[in-house]
């Protein structure tokens, strides 16, 4: 049986790559601290010695469009090209090629469908910065096969928050029942409070530091009860108009388990958004 | 109301660098051409299978033709699509990093919750 060796939840700030690469006058004053924090966070994945990465993210109107929008989609392909023209243009992200763990994709699709999730699939998926950012931060050598899982946090109507949690719980069950002798890490990225294209965007901090404080506390303590008690599709409009990306953090809380405190927690208060980094080592995983 | 069509305009212009340049240079002409020639194109179908019924409202057409992103926000265009395309067109007209993004926020100041519904 496969072993779930790490569960990692993170923000996916597309400016990290350029900030970390920049030098001289172009290097922002927060870059050194950011790189230090990312380097420490990366070590939490490295020490788990994974063979395969299940990557949870969300397409930002790149390949998936409103004429045919899936709620939850699993990539099933031997390779995934990555990053799009407008991500090169705006964020300086590089073109990438990732390899796929196609047999695990097939397993998650078959077993996920049978577990009550009508998952969409794609045999030719180009992935975007929601998945490449954590590769750049956590596994820059890009040497492991992945299974990409996309969620719709972007184009309403969206699934309910509890559905994200349930999908996370199911992903965990399926990874742990995959009959292959592999070490699997599940990595998912989302947002805390975030505003894009609205009056609260690009401030000195995230648009709602109080929400961010509560959200970090919920995730760090695995407090799904309190989180689900406060978070609704409606309430997520209040902290910022792109805050529905928080539901990917809720999915990762579902993977980590109810009441399971994170083994590693770090944050960085940046302009525009609060960065947050969490790692859990499930029982039996490498510590 | 055709929020979907506004979004489709923003989406299809954004992903083509030549169209981004054309829309910056000639917004009114680009919107007119696009609505006539491109609006009905189903992105994953052959050209002959085009949609026949998609049109902008007058208000939507004018907002797009005037690069009027505050009105696009008010009309419920998807804020991510609007932001991304307008950054591509105007960011480099400003000397300071993020200066356009901050002006964008300033021009939207005063909008209060709930924001316009973006569901399509």
């Amino acid at each position: 049986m496969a072993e779930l060796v790490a569960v990692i939840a993170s923000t996916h700030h597309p400016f990290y790559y350029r900030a970390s690469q920049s030098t001289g006058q172009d290097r922002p004053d927060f870059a050194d601290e950011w790189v230090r924090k990312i380097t420490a966070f990366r070590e939490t994945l490295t020490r788990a010695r994974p063979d395969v990465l299940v990557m949870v993210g969300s397409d930002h109107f790149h390949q998936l469009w409103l004429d045919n929008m899936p709620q939850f989609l699993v990539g099933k392909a031997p390779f995934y090209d990555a990053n799009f023209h407008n991500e090169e243009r705006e964020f300086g992200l590089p073109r990438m090629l990732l390899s796929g763990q196609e047999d695990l994709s097939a397993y998650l699709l078959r077993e996920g469908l049978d577990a009550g999730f009508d998952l969409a699939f794609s045999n030719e998926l180009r992935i975007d910065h929601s998945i490449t950012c954590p590769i750049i931060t956590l596994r820059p050598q890009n040497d492991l096969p992945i299974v990409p899982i996309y969620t719709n946090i972007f184009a309403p109507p969206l699934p309910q928050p509890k559905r994200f949690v349930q999908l996370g719980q199911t992903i965990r069950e399926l990874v742990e029942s995959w009959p292959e002798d592999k070490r699997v890490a599940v990595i998912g990225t989302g947002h805390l409070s975030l505003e894009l294209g609205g009056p609260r965007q690009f401030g000195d901090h995230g648009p709602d530091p109080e929400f961010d404080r509560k959200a970090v506390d919920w995730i760090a303590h695995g407090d799904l009860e309190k989180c689900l008690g406060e978070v609704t599709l409606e309430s997520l409009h209040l902290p910022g108009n792109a805050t529905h990306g928080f539901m990917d953090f809720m999915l990762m809380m579902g993977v980590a388990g109810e009441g399971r405190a994170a083994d590693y927690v770090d944050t960085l208060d940046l302009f525009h958004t609060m960065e947050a980094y969490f790692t859990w080592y499930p029982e039996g995983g490498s510590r | 109301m055709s929020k979907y069509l506004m979004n489709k305009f923003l989406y299809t212009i954004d992903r083509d660098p030549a169209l981004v340049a054309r829309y910056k240079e000639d917004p009114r002409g680009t919107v007119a051409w696009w609505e006539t020639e491109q609006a009905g194109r189903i992105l994953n179908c052959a050209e002959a299978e085009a949609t026949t019924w998609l049109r902008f409202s007058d208000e939507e057409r004018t907002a797009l033709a005037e690069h009027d992103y505050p009105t696009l926000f008010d009309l419920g265009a998807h804020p991510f699509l609007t932001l991304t395309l307008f950054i591509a067109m105007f960011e480099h007209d400003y000397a300071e990093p993020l200066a356009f993004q901050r002006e964008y926020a300033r021009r939207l100041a005063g909008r209060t919750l709930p924001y316009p519904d973006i569901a399509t």
Side-chain angles (χ1 to χ4, degrees), chain A residues 120-238:
Chain A
F121 67 92
S122 172
N123 295 144
E124 186 180 6
L125 187 67
R126 189 176 185 98
I127 57 178
D128 80 1
H129 72 269
S130 65
I131 287 178
T132 58
C133 284
I135 294 294
I136 287 166
T137 53
L138 293 163
R139 196 76 181 185
Q141 62 270 50
N142 184 23
D143 61 341
L144 296 177
I146 70 162
V147 174
I149 300 179
Y150 268 157
T151 67
N152 176 19
I153 49 89
F154 214 60
L158 309 178
Q160 293 288 347
K162 69 178 179 200
R163 200 64 178 149
F164 284 75
V165 174
Q166 290 166 350
L167 180 58
Q169 292 165 336
T170 299
I171 289 170
R172 176 170 185 152
E173 288 166 15
L174 299 185
V175 164
E176 290 182 329
S177 67
W178 184 37
E180 295 291 331
D181 183 23
K182 298 275 192 188
R183 299 170 64 83
V184 181
V186 182
I187 299 171
T189 68
H191 301 293
L192 301 180
S193 71
L194 183 64
E195 177 111 335
L196 293 170
R200 294 175 288 174
Q201 71 178 8
F202 290 96
D204 293 335
H205 309 278
D208 190 341
E210 174 59 20
F211 175 84
D212 294 345
R213 190 193 58 72
K214 279 199 295 189
V216 168
D217 198 57
W218 294 329
I219 302 166
H221 295 96
D223 196 344
L224 271 170
E225 189 180 340
K226 201 176 277 183
C227 183
L228 280 166
E230 288 198 30
V231 171
T232 66
L233 289 174
E234 272 309 303
S235 79
L236 285 173
H237 290 288
L238 305 177

Side-chain angles (χ1 to χ4, degrees), chain A residues 10-279:
Chain A
S10 167
T11 42
H12 61 246
H13 202 312
F15 290 151
Y16 174 77
Y17 179 75
R18 187 150 59 193
S20 68
Q21 305 279 313
S22 58
T23 56
Q25 286 196 329
D26 292 337
R27 191 168 177 86
D29 55 9
F30 50 79
D32 289 348
E33 185 186 11
W34 203 358
V35 169
R36 271 198 303 277
K37 283 181 178 277
I38 288 295
T39 304
F41 187 36
R42 180 180 307 153
E43 179 58 26
T44 71
L45 176 65
T46 306
R47 68 203 283 193
R49 294 179 290 110
D51 301 313
V52 180
L53 306 177
V54 174
M55 305 291 299
V56 178
S58 301
D59 181 76
H60 295 67
F61 285 137
H62 285 122
Q63 183 172 341
L64 307 184
W65 177 240
L66 297 170
D67 62 1
N68 188 4
M69 181 57 75
Q71 299 295 358
F72 299 114
L73 177 143
V74 177
K76 179 184 177 293
F79 294 97
Y80 302 93
D81 286 292
N83 292 333
F84 287 78
H85 164 70
N86 66 5
E87 297 171 304
E88 292 181 290
R89 183 185 71 200
E90 189 174 346
F91 312 128
L93 290 175
R95 299 274 165 141
M96 297 167 69
L97 176 67
L98 293 87
S99 60
Q101 186 75 37
E102 204 171 354
D103 56 350
L104 180 55
S105 292
Y107 185 81
L108 292 179
L109 281 164
R110 180 68 266 161
E111 299 297 320
L113 287 162
D114 294 346
F117 282 91
D118 297 329
L119 301 166
F121 67 92
S122 172
N123 295 144
E124 186 180 6
L125 187 67
R126 189 176 185 98
I127 57 178
D128 80 1
H129 72 269
S130 65
I131 287 178
T132 58
C133 284
I135 294 294
I136 287 166
T137 53
L138 293 163
R139 196 76 181 185
Q141 62 270 50
N142 184 23
D143 61 341
L144 296 177
I146 70 162
V147 174
I149 300 179
Y150 268 157
T151 67
N152 176 19
I153 49 89
F154 214 60
L158 309 178
Q160 293 288 347
K162 69 178 179 200
R163 200 64 178 149
F164 284 75
V165 174
Q166 290 166 350
L167 180 58
Q169 292 165 336
T170 299
I171 289 170
R172 176 170 185 152
E173 288 166 15
L174 299 185
V175 164
E176 290 182 329
S177 67
W178 184 37
E180 295 291 331
D181 183 23
K182 298 275 192 188
R183 299 170 64 83
V184 181
V186 182
I187 299 171
T189 68
H191 301 293
L192 301 180
S193 71
L194 183 64
E195 177 111 335
L196 293 170
R200 294 175 288 174
Q201 71 178 8
F202 290 96
D204 293 335
H205 309 278
D208 190 341
E210 174 59 20
F211 175 84
D212 294 345
R213 190 193 58 72
K214 279 199 295 189
V216 168
D217 198 57
W218 294 329
I219 302 166
H221 295 96
D223 196 344
L224 271 170
E225 189 180 340
K226 201 176 277 183
C227 183
L228 280 166
E230 288 198 30
V231 171
T232 66
L233 289 174
E234 272 309 303
S235 79
L236 285 173
H237 290 288
L238 305 177
N241 69 348
T243 309
H244 290 83
F246 179 66
M247 293 193 292
D248 281 336
F249 272 114
M250 297 178 73
L251 187 156
M252 296 311 299
M253 292 168 75
V255 179
E258 170 90 53
R260 180 67 166 79
D263 296 293
Y264 180 90
V265 179
D266 199 9
T267 59
L268 177 61
D269 186 16
L270 276 184
F271 74 95
H272 186 43
T273 173
M274 169 78 85
E275 288 287 278
Y277 312 121
F278 306 89
T279 301

Side-chain angles (χ1 to χ4, degrees), chain A residues 15 18 60-68 85-86 89-91 129 154-157 195-204 237-241 271, chain B residues 4 7-8 11 14-15 17 20 42-44 73 78-81 83-85 87-88 91-92 98 101-102 104-105 108-111 113 115 118-120:
Chain A
F15 290 151
R18 187 150 59 193
H60 295 67
F61 285 137
H62 285 122
Q63 183 172 341
L64 307 184
W65 177 240
L66 297 170
D67 62 1
N68 188 4
H85 164 70
N86 66 5
R89 183 185 71 200
E90 189 174 346
F91 312 128
H129 72 269
F154 214 60
E195 177 111 335
L196 293 170
R200 294 175 288 174
Q201 71 178 8
F202 290 96
D204 293 335
H237 290 288
L238 305 177
N241 69 348
F271 74 95
Chain B
Y4 168 70
N7 290 342
K8 187 176 178 181
Y11 174 66
D14 180 74
R15 56 203 223 150
V20 172
I42 302 177
L43 302 181
N44 202 30
F73 179 90
H78 198 292
F80 181 87
L81 292 169
L83 177 66
T84 301
L85 175 58
I87 285 175
E91 179 178 40
H92 297 294
L98 302 178
Q101 287 88 331
R102 292 192 169 116
Y104 194 116
L108 290 168
R111 267 81 177 169
L113 296 170
Y115 293 166
I118 62 166
T120 47

Side-chain angles (χ1 to χ4, degrees), chain B residues 1-2 5 35 39 51-57 60-61:
Chain B
M1 286 286 284
S2 42
L5 195 62
E35 187 174 7
T51 300
T52 58
W53 49 268
L54 284 165
R55 302 278 184 280
F56 292 124
S57 71
E60 291 164 349
R61 190 179 300 112

